[in-house]
Amino acid sequence: MARVLVTGAAGFLGSHLCDRLLEQGNTVIALDNLYTGRKENLPQHPQLTWLLADIIQPLSPEQQQHIGPVEQIYHLACPASPPHYQRDPLFTLKTSFLGTLNTLNLAENWGARILVASTSEVYGDPQVHPQPESYWGNVNPFGVRSCYDEGKRVSESLCFAFRERGVEVRIARIFNTYGPRMALDDGRVVSNLVVQALQGKPLTVYGTGSQTRSFCYVSDLVAGMMALMASGVSEPVNLGNPSEFTVLQLAEQVRGFIDPALPIQFLPLPGDDPQRRRPDITLAQTRLGWFPSVSLAEGLPLTIADFRRRLRA
Ligand code: NAD
Ligand code: UDP
C-alpha cells in the first residue's frame, strides 16, 4: 500500500486510475484545477483526499504539508483533447512545462517515483509506421497542435533531466484511449461520435476519414500505467492498443451499435492532423508483460452505455 498523488485526477484517465488505486488499498491525493475534469468523476472514499490546485503554480508549503510526502506520483494534469488544449495554447504550454517541472520537484523533494503522462503526439504526423519508442517523430513546432506536442516533448525532456539527478521517472507515451466518463463535450472522436449518434445527429468525420488511429480501452490503459509504475523502466514506453482503424471505420462501428441509418457528415480536416497512428508495443509487452485485452467491438458498447445513461440523466 502506498500514498499516491494523482494530478489531473478529476479527468477521464485520472479518475479511472484513482478508482483502481483505491481498490488496491492505496491512499490517494487527487489534485485537479477542473479545467476539463469534473469532481463528480471522483468517488467519495475515506482514503481519498481532494485538492483543488493549478499545477502551473508550485504548491504552497501548507499544501505540501497537507499532501506529502508520498511514495508515488502519477502526473496526468493537462488538457488532452484538441479543442480543449487549443483553447488556450499558453495554458497548455505552461501546464506541460511549469506543471511538470513543479511536479518533478515534488518527486525529488519527497523521494517519490513519478510517472508522467506523455503522448503518441510526440511522434507528430509519423513517417515511421507503426511507431516504436526509438522513433524521434515528425512534429510541426509552429502550428495548432504544437502547444500540446511540443509541450509533451518538453515534459519528457524534463523527465530526462530529473532522471540524471536521481529521480525515478516513468514515462507513458499514451495512444488514443477512450471509455466511460469522457466528458460529454470532450471533443475527441469517440465521444463526439457516440454523443452525436445517441442524439440522432449526423456523425462528424473530418477529412475523408481515411486517417487512422488505434483505440485503447481505458481499463487496459490504467493497467498499463500501473505496470509501468511498478517496473524498473525509466525510458519512455508506448501504451496503447495496436489494432488500427480508419476514422470512417470507427464512425461505421459507432452507428452500427446505435442506428445504422444515421448519416455521416464530412467536415474539413483540422491542421496538422496525423494521417496514421499505431503503437509498436513490443517494449511494454516484453518489459512490463502488458498487453491490451479489450477490443474496440467490446469497449464501444461499454462506452455507449455510459454515455446513454449520462445523456438521459
Ligand atoms: P482530461 O482532459 O479528461 O483530463 C486532464 C485533467 O487534468 C483534467 O481533470 C483537468 O482539469 C486537469 N488539468 C489540466 N490542466 C491542469 C493544471 N494546470 N492543473 C491541474 N489540473 C489540470 O484528459 P485525459 O484523457 O484524462 O488525459 C490525461 C493525461 O493523459 C493528459 O496528460 C493527456 O495528455 C494524457 N494522454 C491522454 C490520452 C487519451 O487518449 N486519453 C492520450 C495521450 C495522452
Ligand atoms: N475526428 C473526426 N470527427 C470528430 C473528431 C475527430 O473525424 O468529431 C478525427 C480527427 O480529425 C482525428 C481523429 O478523429 O483524425 C482523432 O481525433 P481526436 O481528436 O480524438 O484525437 P487525436 O488523435 O487527433 O489527438
Side-chain angles (χ1 to χ4, degrees), residues 24-102:
Q24 296 193 349
N26 299 289
T27 298
V28 174
I29 296 99
L31 181 155
D32 206 294
N33 70 346
L34 303 180
Y35 189 75
T36 52
R38 287 162 298 145
K39 210 181 158 196
E40 307 81 72
N41 284 342
L42 290 166
Q44 301 273 359
H45 193 287
Q47 296 294 104
L48 183 133
T49 303
W50 165 248
L51 182 66
L52 179 66
D54 188 331
I55 203 63
I56 292 174
Q57 308 297 333
L59 295 184
S60 67
E62 294 74 33
Q63 285 172 320
Q64 291 192 43
Q65 184 105 37
H66 178 55
I67 291 178
V70 303
E71 289 107 71
Q72 295 180 1
I73 303 175
Y74 287 89
H75 176 49
L76 273 60
C78 185
S81 160
H84 290 295
Y85 71 64
Q86 289 171 20
R87 175 152 49 106
D88 182 351
L90 283 177
F91 172 83
T92 302
L93 282 162
K94 285 186 205 164
T95 297
S96 304
F97 177 54
L98 297 174
T100 304
L101 177 63
N102 289 333

Coordinates of all heavy atoms in Angstrom, one line a residue, residues 24-102:
Q24 N -7.1 -1.1 -4.7 CA -5.9 -1.9 -4.3 C -5.5 -1.5 -2.9 O -4.4 -1.9 -2.4 CB -4.8 -1.7 -5.3 CG -5.1 -2.3 -6.6 CD -3.9 -2.5 -7.5 OE1 -2.9 -2.0 -7.3 NE2 -4.1 -3.2 -8.6
G25 N -6.2 -0.6 -2.2 CA -5.9 -0.2 -0.9 C -4.9 0.9 -0.6 O -4.5 1.2 0.5
N26 N -4.6 1.7 -1.7 CA -3.7 2.8 -1.6 C -4.5 4.0 -1.0 O -5.7 4.1 -1.1 CB -3.1 3.1 -2.9 CG -2.3 2.0 -3.5 OD1 -1.2 1.7 -3.0 ND2 -2.9 1.3 -4.5
T27 N -3.7 5.0 -0.5 CA -4.2 6.3 -0.1 C -3.9 7.2 -1.3 O -2.8 7.3 -1.8 CB -3.5 6.8 1.1 OG1 -3.8 5.8 2.2 CG2 -4.0 8.1 1.6
V28 N -5.0 8.0 -1.7 CA -4.8 8.8 -2.9 C -5.1 10.3 -2.6 O -6.1 10.6 -2.0 CB -5.8 8.3 -4.0 CG1 -5.8 9.2 -5.2 CG2 -5.5 6.9 -4.4
I29 N -4.2 11.1 -3.1 CA -4.4 12.6 -3.1 C -4.7 12.9 -4.5 O -3.9 12.8 -5.4 CB -3.2 13.3 -2.5 CG1 -3.0 13.0 -1.1 CG2 -3.5 14.8 -2.6 CD1 -1.9 12.0 -0.9
A30 N -6.0 13.5 -4.7 CA -6.5 13.7 -6.0 C -6.4 15.3 -6.3 O -7.1 16.0 -5.7 CB -7.9 13.3 -6.2
L31 N -5.4 15.7 -7.1 CA -5.2 17.1 -7.4 C -5.8 17.4 -8.8 O -5.5 16.7 -9.8 CB -3.7 17.4 -7.3 CG -3.3 18.8 -7.6 CD1 -1.9 19.1 -6.9 CD2 -3.2 19.2 -9.1
D32 N -6.5 18.5 -8.9 CA -7.0 19.0 -10.2 C -7.5 20.4 -10.1 O -7.9 20.9 -9.0 CB -8.2 18.1 -10.6 CG -8.4 18.0 -12.1 OD1 -8.7 19.0 -12.8 OD2 -8.2 16.9 -12.7
N33 N -7.4 21.1 -11.2 CA -7.9 22.5 -11.2 C -9.3 22.6 -12.0 O -9.8 23.7 -12.2 CB -7.0 23.5 -11.9 CG -6.8 23.3 -13.4 OD1 -7.3 22.2 -13.9 ND2 -6.2 24.2 -14.1
L34 N -9.8 21.4 -12.4 CA -11.1 21.3 -13.0 C -11.2 22.1 -14.4 O -12.3 22.5 -14.8 CB -12.3 21.8 -12.1 CG -12.3 21.0 -10.8 CD1 -13.4 21.5 -9.9 CD2 -12.5 19.5 -11.0
Y35 N -10.1 22.2 -15.1 CA -10.0 22.8 -16.4 C -10.9 22.0 -17.4 O -11.7 22.6 -18.1 CB -8.6 22.9 -16.9 CG -8.4 23.7 -18.1 CD1 -8.4 25.1 -18.1 CD2 -8.1 23.1 -19.3 CE1 -8.2 25.9 -19.2 CE2 -7.9 23.9 -20.5 CZ -7.9 25.2 -20.4 OH -7.7 26.0 -21.5
T36 N -10.7 20.7 -17.4 CA -11.6 19.8 -18.2 C -12.2 18.7 -17.4 O -13.1 18.0 -17.8 CB -10.8 19.2 -19.4 OG1 -9.6 18.5 -18.8 CG2 -10.4 20.2 -20.4
G37 N -11.7 18.5 -16.2 CA -12.2 17.5 -15.3 C -13.4 17.9 -14.5 O -13.8 19.0 -14.5
R38 N -14.1 16.9 -13.9 CA -15.2 17.2 -13.0 C -15.0 16.4 -11.7 O -14.7 15.2 -11.7 CB -16.5 16.6 -13.7 CG -16.9 17.5 -14.9 CD -17.9 16.7 -15.8 NE -17.3 15.6 -16.4 CZ -17.9 14.4 -16.6 NH1 -19.1 14.2 -16.3 NH2 -17.2 13.4 -17.1
K39 N -15.3 17.1 -10.6 CA -15.2 16.5 -9.3 C -16.0 15.2 -9.2 O -15.7 14.3 -8.5 CB -15.4 17.5 -8.2 CG -14.6 17.2 -7.0 CD -14.9 18.2 -5.9 CE -14.5 17.5 -4.6 NZ -15.0 18.2 -3.4
E40 N -17.2 15.3 -9.9 CA -18.1 14.1 -9.8 C -17.5 12.8 -10.3 O -18.0 11.7 -10.1 CB -19.4 14.4 -10.5 CG -20.1 15.7 -10.2 CD -19.5 16.9 -10.9 OE1 -19.7 17.0 -12.1 OE2 -18.9 17.7 -10.2
N41 N -16.4 13.0 -11.1 CA -15.8 11.7 -11.6 C -15.1 11.0 -10.5 O -14.8 9.8 -10.6 CB -14.7 12.1 -12.6 CG -15.3 12.5 -14.0 OD1 -16.4 12.2 -14.3 ND2 -14.5 13.2 -14.8
L42 N -14.8 11.6 -9.4 CA -14.1 11.0 -8.3 C -15.1 10.4 -7.2 O -16.1 11.1 -6.9 CB -13.2 12.0 -7.6 CG -12.0 12.4 -8.5 CD1 -11.3 13.7 -7.9 CD2 -11.0 11.3 -8.6
P43 N -14.7 9.3 -6.6 CA -15.6 8.7 -5.6 C -15.4 9.4 -4.3 O -14.4 10.0 -4.0 CB -15.1 7.3 -5.5 CG -13.6 7.4 -5.9 CD -13.5 8.5 -6.8
Q44 N -16.5 9.3 -3.5 CA -16.4 9.7 -2.0 C -15.7 8.5 -1.4 O -16.3 7.4 -1.4 CB -17.7 9.9 -1.4 CG -18.6 11.0 -2.1 CD -18.3 12.4 -1.5 OE1 -17.5 12.5 -0.6 NE2 -18.9 13.4 -2.0
H45 N -14.5 8.6 -0.9 CA -13.8 7.5 -0.3 C -13.0 7.9 0.9 O -12.3 9.0 0.7 CB -13.0 6.8 -1.4 CG -12.5 5.5 -1.1 ND1 -11.5 5.3 -0.2 CD2 -12.8 4.2 -1.6 CE1 -11.2 4.0 -0.1 NE2 -12.0 3.3 -0.9
P46 N -13.0 7.2 2.0 CA -12.2 7.7 3.1 C -10.7 7.8 2.8 O -10.0 8.5 3.5 CB -12.5 6.6 4.2 CG -13.1 5.4 3.5 CD -13.7 6.0 2.3
Q47 N -10.2 7.0 1.9 CA -8.8 7.0 1.6 C -8.4 8.0 0.5 O -7.3 8.0 0.0 CB -8.3 5.6 1.1 CG -8.5 4.5 2.1 CD -7.5 4.8 3.3 OE1 -7.9 5.2 4.4 NE2 -6.2 4.5 3.1
L48 N -9.4 8.9 0.1 CA -9.1 9.8 -1.0 C -9.2 11.3 -0.4 O -10.2 11.6 0.2 CB -10.1 9.7 -2.1 CG -9.9 10.6 -3.3 CD1 -9.9 9.9 -4.7 CD2 -10.9 11.8 -3.4
T49 N -8.2 12.0 -0.7 CA -8.1 13.4 -0.3 C -8.2 14.3 -1.5 O -7.4 14.1 -2.5 CB -6.8 13.8 0.5 OG1 -6.7 12.9 1.6 CG2 -6.8 15.2 1.0
W50 N -9.1 15.3 -1.6 CA -9.3 16.1 -2.7 C -8.5 17.4 -2.6 O -8.5 18.0 -1.5 CB -10.8 16.4 -2.9 CG -11.0 17.6 -3.8 CD1 -11.6 18.8 -3.5 CD2 -10.8 17.6 -5.3 NE1 -11.7 19.6 -4.6 CE2 -11.2 18.9 -5.7 CE3 -10.3 16.7 -6.2 CZ2 -11.2 19.3 -7.0 CZ3 -10.2 17.1 -7.5 CH2 -10.7 18.4 -7.9
L51 N -7.8 17.8 -3.6 CA -7.0 19.1 -3.6 C -7.3 19.9 -4.9 O -6.8 19.5 -5.9 CB -5.5 18.8 -3.4 CG -4.7 20.1 -3.2 CD1 -5.0 20.9 -2.0 CD2 -3.2 19.7 -3.3
L52 N -8.0 21.0 -4.7 CA -8.2 21.9 -5.9 C -7.0 22.7 -6.0 O -6.7 23.6 -5.2 CB -9.5 22.7 -5.6 CG -9.8 23.7 -6.8 CD1 -10.2 23.0 -8.0 CD2 -10.9 24.7 -6.3
A53 N -6.2 22.5 -7.1 CA -5.0 23.3 -7.3 C -4.6 23.3 -8.8 O -4.9 22.3 -9.5 CB -3.9 22.7 -6.4
D54 N -4.0 24.4 -9.2 CA -3.5 24.5 -10.5 C -2.0 24.2 -10.5 O -1.2 24.9 -9.8 CB -3.7 25.9 -11.1 CG -3.3 26.0 -12.6 OD1 -2.4 25.2 -13.0 OD2 -3.9 26.8 -13.3
I55 N -1.5 23.2 -11.2 CA -0.2 22.7 -11.0 C 0.9 23.6 -11.7 O 2.1 23.5 -11.6 CB -0.1 21.2 -11.5 CG1 1.1 20.5 -10.9 CG2 -0.1 21.1 -13.0 CD1 1.1 20.4 -9.4
I56 N 0.3 24.6 -12.4 CA 1.2 25.6 -13.0 C 1.9 26.4 -11.9 O 3.1 26.9 -12.0 CB 0.5 26.6 -13.9 CG1 0.0 25.9 -15.2 CG2 1.3 27.8 -14.3 CD1 -0.9 26.7 -16.1
Q57 N 1.2 26.6 -10.8 CA 1.8 27.2 -9.6 C 2.4 26.2 -8.7 O 1.8 25.1 -8.5 CB 0.7 28.0 -8.8 CG -0.1 28.9 -9.6 CD 0.7 30.1 -10.1 OE1 1.7 30.4 -9.6 NE2 0.3 30.6 -11.3
P58 N 3.6 26.4 -8.1 CA 4.1 25.5 -7.1 C 3.2 25.4 -5.9 O 2.6 26.4 -5.6 CB 5.5 26.1 -6.7 CG 5.8 27.1 -7.7 CD 4.5 27.6 -8.3
L59 N 3.1 24.2 -5.4 CA 2.2 24.0 -4.2 C 2.8 24.8 -3.0 O 4.0 24.9 -2.9 CB 2.1 22.6 -3.8 CG 1.4 21.6 -4.8 CD1 1.2 20.2 -4.2 CD2 0.0 22.2 -5.2
S60 N 1.9 25.4 -2.2 CA 2.4 26.2 -1.1 C 3.0 25.2 0.0 O 2.6 24.0 -0.1 CB 1.2 27.0 -0.5 OG 0.3 26.0 0.1
P61 N 3.8 25.7 0.9 CA 4.3 24.8 2.0 C 3.1 24.2 2.7 O 3.2 23.0 3.1 CB 5.1 25.8 2.9 CG 5.5 26.9 2.0 CD 4.4 27.1 1.0
E62 N 2.0 24.9 2.9 CA 0.9 24.3 3.6 C 0.3 23.2 2.8 O 0.0 22.1 3.4 CB -0.2 25.4 3.9 CG 0.1 26.5 4.8 CD 1.1 27.5 4.2 OE1 1.1 27.7 2.9 OE2 2.0 28.0 4.9
Q63 N 0.1 23.4 1.5 CA -0.4 22.3 0.6 C 0.5 21.1 0.6 O 0.1 19.9 0.7 CB -0.6 22.8 -0.8 CG -1.8 23.7 -1.0 CD -1.8 24.4 -2.3 OE1 -0.8 24.8 -2.9 NE2 -3.0 24.5 -2.9
Q64 N 1.8 21.4 0.6 CA 2.8 20.3 0.6 C 2.7 19.5 1.9 O 2.8 18.2 1.9 CB 4.2 20.8 0.4 CG 4.4 21.3 -1.0 CD 5.9 21.6 -1.4 OE1 6.7 20.7 -1.0 NE2 6.1 22.7 -2.0
Q65 N 2.6 20.2 3.0 CA 2.4 19.6 4.3 C 1.2 18.7 4.3 O 1.2 17.6 4.8 CB 2.3 20.7 5.3 CG 2.2 20.2 6.8 CD 3.6 20.5 7.5 OE1 4.2 21.5 7.2 NE2 4.0 19.6 8.3
H66 N 0.1 19.2 3.8 CA -1.2 18.5 3.7 C -1.1 17.2 2.9 O -1.7 16.2 3.3 CB -2.2 19.5 3.1 CG -3.6 19.0 2.9 ND1 -4.3 18.5 4.0 CD2 -4.4 18.9 1.8 CE1 -5.5 18.1 3.5 NE2 -5.6 18.4 2.2
I67 N -0.3 17.2 1.8 CA -0.3 16.1 0.9 C 0.8 15.1 1.3 O 0.6 13.9 1.2 CB 0.1 16.6 -0.5 CG1 -1.1 17.4 -1.1 CG2 0.4 15.5 -1.4 CD1 -0.7 17.9 -2.5
G68 N 2.0 15.7 1.5 CA 3.2 14.8 1.4 C 3.7 14.3 2.7 O 3.1 14.6 3.8
P69 N 4.7 13.5 2.7 CA 5.3 13.0 1.5 C 4.6 11.8 0.9 O 3.9 11.2 1.7 CB 6.7 12.6 2.0 CG 6.6 12.2 3.4 CD 5.5 13.1 3.9
V70 N 4.7 11.6 -0.4 CA 4.0 10.5 -1.0 C 5.1 9.6 -1.6 O 6.2 10.0 -1.8 CB 3.0 10.9 -2.1 CG1 2.0 11.8 -1.6 CG2 3.8 11.5 -3.3
E71 N 4.8 8.3 -1.8 CA 5.8 7.4 -2.4 C 5.7 7.4 -3.9 O 6.7 7.1 -4.6 CB 5.6 6.0 -1.9 CG 5.9 5.7 -0.5 CD 4.7 5.6 0.4 OE1 4.0 4.5 0.3 OE2 4.4 6.5 1.2
Q72 N 4.5 7.7 -4.5 CA 4.3 7.6 -5.9 C 3.5 8.9 -6.4 O 2.6 9.3 -5.7 CB 3.5 6.4 -6.3 CG 4.2 5.1 -6.1 CD 3.3 3.9 -6.5 OE1 2.2 4.1 -7.0 NE2 3.9 2.7 -6.3
I73 N 3.9 9.4 -7.6 CA 3.1 10.4 -8.2 C 2.8 10.0 -9.6 O 3.6 9.6 -10.4 CB 3.9 11.8 -8.3 CG1 4.4 12.2 -6.9 CG2 3.1 12.8 -9.0 CD1 5.3 13.4 -6.9
Y74 N 1.5 10.1 -10.0 CA 1.1 10.0 -11.4 C 0.7 11.4 -11.9 O -0.2 12.0 -11.3 CB -0.2 9.1 -11.5 CG 0.0 7.6 -11.3 CD1 0.0 7.0 -10.0 CD2 0.3 6.8 -12.4 CE1 0.2 5.7 -9.9 CE2 0.5 5.4 -12.2 CZ 0.4 4.9 -11.0 OH 0.6 3.5 -10.8
H75 N 1.5 11.9 -12.8 CA 1.3 13.3 -13.3 C 0.5 13.3 -14.6 O 1.1 13.1 -15.7 CB 2.7 13.9 -13.4 CG 2.6 15.3 -13.9 ND1 1.7 16.3 -13.5 CD2 3.2 15.9 -15.0 CE1 1.8 17.4 -14.1 NE2 2.8 17.2 -15.1
L76 N -0.8 13.5 -14.5 CA -1.6 13.4 -15.7 C -2.2 14.8 -16.0 O -2.9 14.9 -17.0 CB -2.8 12.4 -15.4 CG -2.6 11.0 -15.7 CD1 -1.4 10.4 -14.9 CD2 -3.8 10.2 -15.5
A77 N -2.0 15.8 -15.2 CA -2.7 17.1 -15.4 C -2.3 17.7 -16.7 O -1.1 18.1 -16.9 CB -2.3 18.0 -14.2
C78 N -3.2 17.9 -17.6 CA -3.0 18.5 -18.9 C -4.3 18.3 -19.7 O -4.7 17.1 -19.8 CB -1.8 17.9 -19.7 SG -1.4 18.8 -21.2
P79 N -4.8 19.3 -20.4 CA -6.0 19.0 -21.3 C -5.5 18.1 -22.4 O -4.3 18.3 -22.9 CB -6.4 20.4 -21.8 CG -5.3 21.3 -21.5 CD -4.5 20.7 -20.3
A80 N -6.3 17.1 -22.8 CA -5.8 16.1 -23.8 C -6.5 16.2 -25.1 O -6.1 15.6 -26.1 CB -5.9 14.8 -23.2
S81 N -7.7 16.8 -25.2 CA -8.5 16.8 -26.4 C -8.1 18.1 -27.2 O -8.0 19.2 -26.7 CB -10.0 16.9 -26.0 OG -10.7 17.4 -27.1
P82 N -7.9 17.9 -28.6 CA -7.5 19.1 -29.4 C -8.3 20.3 -29.1 O -7.7 21.4 -28.9 CB -7.6 18.5 -30.8 CG -7.3 17.1 -30.6 CD -7.9 16.7 -29.3
P83 N -9.7 20.3 -29.1 CA -10.4 21.6 -28.9 C -10.0 22.2 -27.5 O -10.0 23.4 -27.4 CB -11.8 21.2 -29.0 CG -11.9 19.8 -29.4 CD -10.6 19.2 -29.4
H84 N -9.8 21.4 -26.5 CA -9.5 21.9 -25.2 C -8.1 22.4 -25.1 O -7.8 23.4 -24.4 CB -9.9 20.9 -24.1 CG -11.4 20.7 -24.0 ND1 -12.2 21.7 -23.6 CD2 -12.2 19.7 -24.3 CE1 -13.5 21.3 -23.6 NE2 -13.5 20.1 -24.0
Y85 N -7.1 21.6 -25.6 CA -5.7 22.1 -25.5 C -5.4 23.3 -26.4 O -4.5 24.0 -26.1 CB -4.7 21.0 -25.5 CG -4.4 20.3 -26.9 CD1 -3.9 21.0 -28.0 CD2 -4.6 18.9 -27.1 CE1 -3.6 20.4 -29.2 CE2 -4.4 18.3 -28.3 CZ -3.9 19.0 -29.3 OH -3.6 18.4 -30.5
Q86 N -6.3 23.4 -27.5 CA -6.0 24.6 -28.4 C -6.8 25.8 -27.9 O -6.6 26.9 -28.4 CB -6.5 24.2 -29.8 CG -5.5 23.2 -30.4 CD -6.0 22.6 -31.7 OE1 -6.8 23.1 -32.4 NE2 -5.4 21.4 -32.1
R87 N -7.7 25.7 -27.0 CA -8.5 26.8 -26.5 C -7.6 27.9 -25.9 O -7.8 29.1 -26.1 CB -9.4 26.2 -25.4 CG -10.2 27.2 -24.6 CD -11.5 26.5 -24.1 NE -11.4 25.2 -23.4 CZ -11.5 25.0 -22.1 NH1 -11.7 26.1 -21.3 NH2 -11.4 23.8 -21.6
D88 N -6.6 27.5 -25.2 CA -5.6 28.5 -24.6 C -4.2 27.8 -24.7 O -3.8 27.2 -23.7 CB -6.0 28.7 -23.1 CG -5.2 29.8 -22.4 OD1 -4.1 30.2 -23.0 OD2 -5.5 30.2 -21.3
P89 N -3.6 28.0 -25.8 CA -2.3 27.4 -26.0 C -1.3 27.7 -25.0 O -0.5 26.8 -24.6 CB -1.8 27.9 -27.4 CG -3.1 28.4 -28.1 CD -4.0 28.8 -27.0
L90 N -1.3 28.9 -24.4 CA -0.3 29.3 -23.4 C -0.5 28.5 -22.1 O 0.4 28.1 -21.4 CB -0.3 30.8 -23.1 CG 0.4 31.6 -24.2 CD1 0.3 33.1 -23.8 CD2 1.9 31.2 -24.3
F91 N -1.8 28.3 -21.8 CA -2.1 27.5 -20.6 C -1.6 26.0 -20.8 O -1.0 25.5 -19.9 CB -3.7 27.4 -20.4 CG -4.1 26.5 -19.3 CD1 -4.0 26.8 -18.0 CD2 -4.5 25.2 -19.7 CE1 -4.3 25.9 -17.0 CE2 -4.8 24.3 -18.7 CZ -4.8 24.6 -17.3
T92 N -1.8 25.5 -22.0 CA -1.3 24.1 -22.3 C 0.2 24.1 -22.2 O 0.7 23.1 -21.6 CB -1.8 23.7 -23.7 OG1 -3.2 23.8 -23.7 CG2 -1.4 22.3 -24.0
L93 N 0.9 25.1 -22.8 CA 2.3 25.1 -22.7 C 2.8 25.2 -21.2 O 3.7 24.5 -20.8 CB 2.9 26.2 -23.5 CG 2.9 26.0 -25.1 CD1 3.0 27.2 -25.8 CD2 4.0 25.0 -25.4
K94 N 2.2 26.1 -20.5 CA 2.6 26.3 -19.1 C 2.3 25.0 -18.3 O 3.1 24.7 -17.4 CB 1.9 27.5 -18.5 CG 2.3 28.8 -18.9 CD 1.6 29.9 -18.1 CE 1.6 31.2 -18.8 NZ 0.6 32.1 -18.3
T95 N 1.2 24.4 -18.5 CA 0.9 23.2 -17.8 C 1.9 22.1 -18.1 O 2.4 21.4 -17.2 CB -0.5 22.7 -18.2 OG1 -1.5 23.6 -17.7 CG2 -0.9 21.3 -17.5
S96 N 2.3 22.0 -19.4 CA 3.2 21.0 -19.8 C 4.6 21.2 -19.2 O 5.3 20.3 -18.8 CB 3.3 20.9 -21.3 OG 2.0 20.6 -21.8
F97 N 5.0 22.5 -19.3 CA 6.4 22.8 -18.8 C 6.4 23.1 -17.3 O 7.0 22.3 -16.5 CB 7.0 24.0 -19.6 CG 8.4 24.4 -19.0 CD1 9.4 23.4 -18.9 CD2 8.6 25.7 -18.6 CE1 10.6 23.7 -18.4 CE2 9.9 26.0 -18.1 CZ 10.9 25.0 -18.0
L98 N 5.8 24.1 -16.8 CA 5.8 24.5 -15.4 C 5.1 23.4 -14.5 O 5.6 23.1 -13.5 CB 5.2 25.9 -15.2 CG 5.9 27.0 -15.9 CD1 5.1 28.3 -15.7 CD2 7.3 27.2 -15.4
G99 N 4.0 22.9 -15.0 CA 3.3 21.9 -14.2 C 4.1 20.7 -14.0 O 4.2 20.1 -12.9
T100 N 4.8 20.2 -15.1 CA 5.7 19.1 -15.0 C 6.9 19.4 -14.1 O 7.3 18.5 -13.3 CB 6.0 18.5 -16.4 OG1 4.8 18.3 -17.1 CG2 6.8 17.2 -16.3
L101 N 7.5 20.6 -14.3 CA 8.6 20.9 -13.5 C 8.2 21.0 -12.0 O 9.0 20.4 -11.2 CB 9.1 22.3 -13.9 CG 10.3 22.9 -13.2 CD1 11.5 22.1 -13.3 CD2 10.6 24.4 -13.6
N102 N 7.1 21.6 -11.7 CA 6.7 21.6 -10.3 C 6.5 20.2 -9.7 O 6.8 20.0 -8.6 CB 5.4 22.4 -10.2 CG 5.6 23.9 -10.4 OD1 6.7 24.4 -10.2 ND2 4.6 24.6 -10.9

